[in-house]
Structures are given as structure tokens and as C-alpha cells.
Amino acid sequence: VVVFSVFKQPTVTVPIAIGATSVSGTSTAPNGTTLTIFKNGTSIGTTTVSGGAWTKSGISPALVWGDVEKNEGRIEAHVGRHLRFRKLFTAYPEGDHGKKAITHYKVLERFNYVTLVQCVLETGRTHQIRVHLAAAGTPIAGDPVYGRARAGGPPIERPALHAAVLGFTHPTSGARLRFETPPPADFQAALAWL
């Protein structure tokens, strides 16, 4: 069994082809950390290729601070570790550090001071959506790392971001797999509050 990665932002667990296939599945710890486990190195190599086979069909709704200027757009800026604070990631629009990262967004609904956007990943970098939206001046509500504490915001105790759709090409069969999950209760409550 090979441990692939740990995502520190809370997510909803989506079982990925449990059984005799190469990809084993996911597990969620009590603190919301999601761990993805693969049976062998072949799964890792084919699932994480540059260009985002793992996340190419990732669709994530997010509540962001501010009124997003354009109804839809593309954010292209390299994402990499912050040069001084190594636990953080940052956007490098000039491409001088980090790896190429592209996030497409579309405004779904506008509220007074918060906007609901849908993000579609073209690449899959660590904290990509959070870093890109913060760099664009519209950080995700509830994000204590890449956003700012703001009074009077939606009642959510984590980044208001949800991995609604994940898709990838199966490493051995080549089949396109797609998994969808509805927003969790806290995300829905934040939307209802607005």
C-alpha cells in the first residue's frame, strides 16, 4: 500500500474504486484530513501526471469574499511554496517559481459582499484554488490561511470550498471515472444564511 497524499483542508470522502483495482480509496480522519491510498506505484505514476489527469474534471463551488468582477475567467499563475514561509503556498504570476497552474471560474450567484463561484481545475496543485482566488483579491470565506478574518461572514468554520466532482483516468483500464458528492451541511448552511 502506498500513501499518495494528505489534503489538510476538510473534504467529503469519495470512495474511488475499492477492490481489486489499482486505486484503493480514501479515508477521512476525525479532523477532516483526507488520505488517498493506492495499492501500488503504478497507480500513483499514472494518476498524478503533469497536466492533471487526477483533477482535470475537478469542479469545486466556493464562497469568496467580494464581488468578482467578471462573470467567468481564467486564473493562470504558477503555484509554489512561499519563499519564506515554507508551509504556505503562493501564486507566482510571472512563473519565476512553482509549477504552472490554471483555474477556470464562473460566477454562479452574487450576494452583497460574497460571491458563489464554480472553479474548474485544469491543473492540480496543492491549495491551487485557495491560492489563485486569494491572489485575484477574492479569498475564500472562512479560509484562515489564505484569507483574512472578517466579521459578519457566512457561518462556516473552514474554507467555504467543496470538491463536488472529481474525475480521472483509471490507471490500468484507461476508463474515465467521475465521482460526485453534494455539498456538506455546513456549506449548505452558509449558502442558506446568505
Side-chain angles (χ1 to χ4, degrees), residues 51-108:
W54 169 253
T55 57
K56 195 160 208 158
S57 62
I59 300 173
S60 302
L63 284 170
V64 299
W65 287 109
D67 187 14
V68 177
E69 188 176 325
K70 297 179 181 177
N71 286 333
E72 58 185 62
R74 170 185 162 122
I75 302 170
E76 184 171 351
H78 282 211
V79 171
R81 291 202 181 272
H82 191 283
L83 296 178
R84 185 169 173 201
F85 304 105
R86 304 298 292 164
K87 289 186 177 183
L88 300 178
F89 288 81
T90 193
Y92 297 98
E94 304 301 320
D96 48 347
H97 297 287
K99 294 181 181 178
K100 180 179 179 179
I102 300 170
T103 303
H104 300 271
Y105 69 87
K106 180 179 181 179
V107 172
L108 299 178

Side-chain angles (χ1 to χ4, degrees), residues 118-160:
Q118 175 179 285
C119 298
V120 179
L121 297 174
E122 191 171 312
T123 55
R125 307 293 174 217
T126 303
H127 296 191
Q128 178 177 323
I129 294 173
R130 296 167 70 193
V131 169
H132 273 171
L133 292 174
T138 54
I140 295 175
D143 190 340
V145 177
Y146 300 105
R148 300 184 293 280
R150 299 182 188 199
I156 191 163
E157 298 295 320
R158 63 175 182 88

